Amino acid sequence: MAALMNPDSSDEMVDHLVDFFDQIAPVYDSWANGQHSRVAARLVELVKPKKGQQALDVGTGTGLVAHFVAAKVSPGSVMGIDLSDRMLSIARSKESKNTQFLGMAAERLVFRPETFDLVTMGEALAYFADPDDALNEAYRVLREGGRIAVSCQRRSLSTRAQDLFFQGLGPLARRHYLNFPRYSSERSRFGEPDVLPRLLESAGFEVELLTEMVTGGRAQDAREWIEMMAGAGPLPYTLIKALGPRYRLELEADVESAMDSLGDPDDSFRYHHSYLMAVGIRR
Ligand SMILES: C[S@@+](CC[C@H](N)C(=O)[O-])C[C@H]1O[C@@H](n2cnc3c(N)ncnc32)[C@H](O)[C@@H]1O
């Protein structure tokens, strides 16, 4: 099967990501008023887990998707895997009799072929060191007729305010002599309707359903905006947290004037959280 993209498997990038998820673990579930939980609930609603099924949640994080699936498949069970110990310990702390959480890479699952009826990957594919390998592994461990459900952020639906803010991060990092590992920009297109189905088909899945979830809102001011955007990914997080109080105030002033430069007050501090969700079948 031809790989659609080059793996970005540098250990440095994986360490950077795991570090980021370890650090944000305690606030992951409450980020943006529980946005991740709403996305997880929608993904599970789409794939319709059935009683008695065995499910695998890849890149489970704090187990949001896994716990929603567990409630539906009981007396079946859910295995959640991830590389971040702190995310996993939060997943384990949630009440549930039919879930189990293990430290494991999405690209090297230890399970036998055709073990699961359902595989879920909520907001995780774009973070994997090798997304093609992760999808191939999902295919391998699914039974014939089993389903995969994937959600990916759709970045092209970001607002002008978000675009402006994220464009400013590169120059900000350079100004402070900070350099972080980053995945190639192809990852930012994973949530586009012409890309996610192609990734799934390339791993052998037949795409049965494709849908979008778009929500949004407005931050009240630069401080609230910066706090929220810090949780949006490893680059903004590491950069924003690295700034001392003086530079943080300077950033707030820069963000205020960038928002003013948008012209229309209605555009200032406006954000979208947009996701593409796909369900595929393993034939
Ligand atoms: C944005 S979180 C998604 C968590 C959860 N699935 C949800 O829907 O909220 C992405 C997760 O993928 C995990 N991850 C990143 N690379 C991974 C890999 N190669 N194998 C397994 N998990 C990985 C991260 O540690 C993180 O917990």
Side-chain angles (χ1 to χ4, degrees):
M1 215 166 294
L4 286 179
M5 53 180 304
N6 292 325
D8 272 303
S9 55
S10 83
D11 290 348
E12 197 192 355
M13 185 63 213
V14 174
D15 286 350
H16 180 55
L17 261 176
V18 171
D19 230 43
F20 163 68
F21 283 109
D22 275 345
Q23 288 182 61
I24 62 156
V27 294
Y28 184 83
D29 288 2
S30 58
W31 184 75
N33 299 315
Q35 176 65 21
H36 296 306
S37 179
R38 287 190 290 277
V39 180
R42 179 78 184 119
L43 188 68
V44 175
E45 200 179 280
L46 286 176
V47 74
K48 299 188 180 77
K50 294 186 184 57
K51 273 189 187 313
Q53 286 187 327
Q54 302 303 320
L56 173 68
D57 186 33
V58 184
T60 192
T62 60
L64 289 170
V65 173
H67 284 285
F68 284 130
V69 173
K72 305 265 183 202
V73 298
S74 178
S77 64
V78 184
M79 181 76 72
I81 66 115
D82 203 285
L83 290 176
S84 157
D85 285 342
R86 295 218 183 128
M87 293 291 260
L88 284 169
S89 69
I90 292 177
R92 288 185 192 111
S93 71
K94 296 175 183 171
E95 194 78 6
S96 173
K97 287 198 192 82
N98 58 339
T99 54
Q100 206 184 333
F101 295 98
L102 295 176
M104 198 184 297
E107 299 83 358
R108 280 178 298 281
L109 301 177
V110 302
F111 310 107
R112 292 185 180 169
E114 306 192 22
T115 302
F116 298 98
D117 305 295
L118 173 63
V119 171
T120 46
M121 289 183 185
E123 300 185 54
L125 186 64
Y127 292 108
F128 296 153
D130 191 328
D132 288 318
D133 275 359
L135 288 172
N136 290 335
E137 277 291 82
Y139 189 92
R140 183 183 66 78
V141 301
L142 267 173
R143 298 195 179 108
E144 204 180 316
R147 284 182 164 72
I148 184 168
V150 184
S151 64
C152 277
Q153 219 179 328
R154 187 168 180 199
R155 295 191 190 269
S156 64
L157 298 188
S158 295
T159 60
R160 291 172 66 210
Q162 281 167 298
D163 288 346
L164 202 59
F165 179 77
F166 285 103
Q167 278 157 21
L169 292 181
L172 183 67
R174 283 193 288 281
R175 216 172 90 217
H176 292 280
Y177 304 100
L178 296 165
N179 193 11
F180 306 113
R182 293 182 80 172
Y183 281 141
S184 65
S185 57
E186 294 175 280
R187 305 276 179 130
S188 63
R189 298 208 68 253
F190 272 22
E192 300 307 317
D194 61 329
V195 178
L196 183 57
R198 206 155 45 87
L199 289 169
L200 285 168
E201 282 159 11
S202 165
F205 294 105
E206 184 183 311
V207 177
E208 143 178 278
L209 193 149
L210 203 60
T211 189
E212 277 178 57
M213 175 175 177
V214 183
T215 61
R218 271 185 90 167
Q220 284 184 0
D221 53 27
R223 183 169 301 186
E224 190 189 321
W225 174 271
I226 292 168
E227 257 326 296
M228 187 194 331
M229 293 308 158
L235 175 68
Y237 182 85
T238 321
L239 183 49
I240 289 165
K241 298 295 169 188
L243 298 177
R246 188 161 73 87
Y247 288 121
R248 179 72 176 249
L249 284 177
E250 207 179 285
L251 177 62
E252 284 177 22
D254 287 350
V255 168
E256 289 284 356
S257 61
M259 296 295 159
D260 286 346
S261 78
L262 290 171
D264 185 347
D266 207 43
D267 283 345
S268 315
F269 299 114
R270 187 167 288 287
Y271 58 83
H272 284 161
H273 295 306
S274 314
Y275 303 85
L276 188 71
M277 301 187 180
V279 176
I281 307 191
R282 183 225 194 275
R283 293 289 184 206

